[in-house]
Amino acid sequence: MPYKIAFVSLGCAKNLVNTEQMMALCRKAGHTVTGEPEGADVAVLNTCGFIESAKSEAIENILELAQLKQAGKLKKLLVAGCLTQRYPDDIRKELPEVDGMLGTGSYTDVVTAVEELMAGERPEHFERIDRAYDDGERIVTTPPYTAYLKIAEGCSNGCAFCIIPKLRGRYRSRTMDHLLEEAKSLADSGVKELIVIAQDITRYGTDLGDGTTLAGLLRELCKLPFHWIRLHYLYPEAITDELVEVIAKEKKIVHYLDIPIQHCNDAILKAMRRRNTKVELEELFARLRKAIPDVVIRTSLICGLPGEGEEEFEELCAFLKEQKLQRAGVFQFSPEEGTLAEKMENQVDPEVAARRVELVVDLQSRIMDEYNEERLGTVMEVLCEGFDSQAGCFVGRTYADSVEIDGHVYFTAAGLVPAGEFVPVRITGVSDGDLTGEIEE
């Protein structure tokens, strides 16, 4: 019997790809797929369970869906993803509103789980987290001009603060044949911006043992009719000369590199179990800027790791002022259960860590303002994302802005500019971290 199944996806883009795969499996089985839980037979909530804020968001969503059930507007709730993988016992005990669970190794069991739910059972599917299911159809839910390509699953890096290897398993690359087949299908459907993602894309192919590399994959992807190819996330110690050369030479690869460094102090980096030193980071950024003069670097930073005193924090601030990384996500250390960092000595007072986050955010916003000011008077290529009725003009992104995490360009035009169109925009102003401009006819 066909059911109406609603999907809600939380967390990162990698999670979204898993949601899109589950949607395709349900549609293929004859069910109706929707994004609106009200009136559905089953809501499938794909959760993140990485840090405290993500867990809170997942629980809030569970409780909201539970209210719909109570009001008779939803029949069953199936929770999938990292939260269930991490806390199955807690969910059973504390959240009786949840009717069934799928772990991160069991996305392919979604159709079976839905049918079990509707037959009155309480399904729980927790297969091995390191089995690789990453090939197969997706219902792409991003705008028609932008899509993600997940090239690997899991992570083997073992950073002290991170729970992902325990939730997603060891690192495993998808084969290049499968990736190119999926990428071709995305290009054929009209995707113009391909965002290459994994927990760590730089290690792509290292587990396959057949000479496959990220540089080789990118060369092949550049043969397809994409306009932009964007890269998330490049681990600093694994960025090879060959990779830098490919990024510099291939015109389709945007000069925006997301390189999570987390810190710059050598003792903190060692405690984090990161594989680089401050000097190596400085050398890498110098090498990238020499090869790719207009490169925009985004990073992730953690403030308040155990052992971070005022001296280490000041060193981080001085490093950021000197390096002027144009984009940064700044996070407060969260002592996650099951990680090495949870049990470290010299834990930093959460209020001190929160203040440090604010200071770094403030510092980074000044760096971003400086970058934006330098854009004034230049003409930049902008991917139009449509008309913003509130702002009364069109809105889009430059190569320096990734989806949902960076800024926008608000611009005026004499005629209609369709979403998904690339247009030249003369930058004339800066507003709250965003750029403003007018189309260059």
Side-chain angles (χ1 to χ4, degrees):
M1 180 181 168
Y3 300 113
K4 188 177 182 183
I5 308 170
F7 284 85
V8 179
S9 194
L10 305 177
C12 65
K14 300 181 290 293
N15 223 30
L16 178 64
V17 171
N18 291 130
T19 303
E20 292 174 343
Q21 289 165 332
M22 289 194 287
M23 291 169 74
L25 288 166
C26 288
R27 186 172 66 181
K28 199 172 183 178
H31 302 297
T32 302
V33 169
T34 176
E36 181 46 67
E38 193 167 325
D41 293 303
V42 179
V44 181
L45 176 67
N46 194 12
T47 60
C48 176
F50 179 39
I51 53 174
E52 202 56 51
S53 56
K55 289 182 274 186
S56 300
E57 184 189 22
I59 290 163
E60 279 168 26
N61 273 266
I62 288 170
L63 297 176
E64 281 172 24
L65 292 167
Q67 284 180 331
L68 276 185
K69 266 178 61 183
Q70 205 172 1
K73 295 174 181 175
L74 173 68
K75 291 177 187 167
K76 300 286 181 180
L77 173 55
L78 178 65
V79 179
C82 291
L83 191 79
T84 55
Q85 188 66 43
R86 193 170 180 188
Y87 301 110
D89 294 338
D90 292 343
I91 291 172
R92 285 182 203 109
K93 199 162 80 178
E94 307 291 341
L95 293 165
E97 301 91 341
V98 174
D99 300 304
M101 292 190 275
L102 294 177
T104 57
S106 301
Y107 291 117
T108 46
D109 296 336
V110 64
V111 173
T112 306
V114 163
E115 288 165 0
E116 288 168 343
L117 277 176
M118 296 309 290
E121 299 173 38
R122 292 184 75 85
E124 293 187 5
H125 292 254
F126 289 94
E127 299 297 328
R128 282 174 42 200
I129 58 172
D130 57 359
R131 73 170 192 179
Y133 165 72
D134 290 298
D135 302 318
E137 287 177 49
R138 290 160 56 193
I139 295 178
V140 177
T141 56
T142 43
Y145 46 83
T146 294
Y148 296 101
L149 182 70
K150 184 158 80 162
I151 65 172
E153 179 57 278
C155 186
S156 301
N157 290 337
C159 298
F161 53 83
C162 183
I163 196 70
I164 283 173
K166 290 187 179 178
L167 302 183
R168 292 280 179 172
R170 58 178 170 71
Y171 192 85
R172 50 204 189 273
S173 305
R174 294 176 60 194
T175 66
M176 201 184 296
D177 286 349
H178 276 126
L179 288 172
L180 294 176
E181 188 182 323
E182 184 176 340
K184 186 179 184 307
S185 167
L186 292 170
D188 290 346
S189 73
V191 169
K192 296 179 180 179
E193 178 187 35
L194 185 75
I195 307 175
V196 177
I197 56 165
Q199 191 61 34
D200 171 4
I201 64 172
T202 17
R203 286 185 168 79
Y204 173 71
T206 52
D207 56 315
L208 297 177
D210 61 0
T212 300
T213 63
L214 177 62
L217 173 65
L218 292 176
R219 283 194 193 98
E220 294 304 312
L221 289 174
C222 286
K223 293 174 185 173
L224 295 170
F226 299 112
H227 191 84
W228 280 354
I229 295 175
R230 192 179 287 280
L231 309 179
H232 290 269
Y233 306 87
L234 300 131
Y235 275 55
E237 71 278 7
I239 297 175
T240 62
D241 289 341
E242 182 195 18
L243 180 58
V244 174
E245 187 185 345
V246 169
I247 294 167
K249 280 188 175 175
E250 292 286 358
K251 289 185 170 55
K252 291 181 182 180
I253 301 175
V254 296
H255 293 168
Y256 169 105
L257 303 179
D258 194 324
I259 305 172
I261 62 168
Q262 309 304 354
H263 214 282
C264 73
N265 172 268
D266 286 350
I268 297 293
L269 289 169
K270 191 175 179 183
M272 287 179 165
R273 294 183 67 180
R274 302 290 284 185
R275 293 176 172 85
N276 39 261
T277 63
K278 180 182 176 181
V279 167
E280 287 165 349
L281 291 173
E282 289 168 339
E283 286 172 352
L284 171 66
F285 294 144
R287 184 158 55 103
L288 289 170
R289 286 170 171 150
K290 186 178 178 186
I292 313 161
D294 65 341
V295 69
V296 166
I297 297 171
R298 178 176 183 85
T299 196
S300 302
L301 302 163
I302 295 175
C303 295
L305 191 96
E308 184 194 61
E310 287 302 319
E311 194 178 320
E312 290 80 6
F313 178 66
E314 287 300 327
E315 186 181 345
L316 175 64
C317 292
F319 177 86
L320 294 171
K321 283 175 191 168
E322 183 189 312
Q323 289 298 324
K324 296 190 189 305
L325 307 178
Q326 299 95 328
R327 306 277 186 258
V330 190
F331 301 92
Q332 182 176 337
F333 170 71
S334 173
E336 295 298 317
E337 312 100 297
T339 63
L340 290 169
E342 180 206 7
K343 294 181 167 58
M344 284 179 180
E345 294 176 359
N346 302 318
Q347 295 277 336
V348 175
D349 183 289
E351 284 185 18
V352 172
R355 180 181 62 82
R356 289 177 184 169
V357 168
E358 283 175 21
L359 290 169
V360 173
V361 167
D362 188 46
L363 189 162
Q364 278 301 130
S365 69
R366 291 199 297 274
I367 291 167
M368 191 173 80
D369 288 345
E370 197 179 303
Y371 170 79
N372 283 344
E373 293 288 342
E374 288 167 2
R375 307 279 76 74
L376 291 174
T378 66
V379 175
M380 299 189 78
E381 183 178 52
V382 171
L383 170 57
C384 180
E385 296 188 304
F387 188 81
D388 186 316
S389 51
Q390 214 172 353
C393 61
F394 294 96
V395 63
R397 291 181 287 111
T398 71
Y399 80 93
D401 308 297
S402 197
V403 182
E404 292 184 352
I405 55 173
D406 297 313
H408 290 89
V409 180
Y410 291 89
F411 64 96
T412 55
L416 177 70
V417 184
E421 193 85 7
F422 286 88
V423 290
V425 173
R426 182 167 293 280
I427 306 302
T428 57
V430 179
S431 172
D432 288 336
D434 293 318
L435 296 171
T436 58
E438 54 200 30
I439 204 161
E440 184 90 340
E441 298 298 347

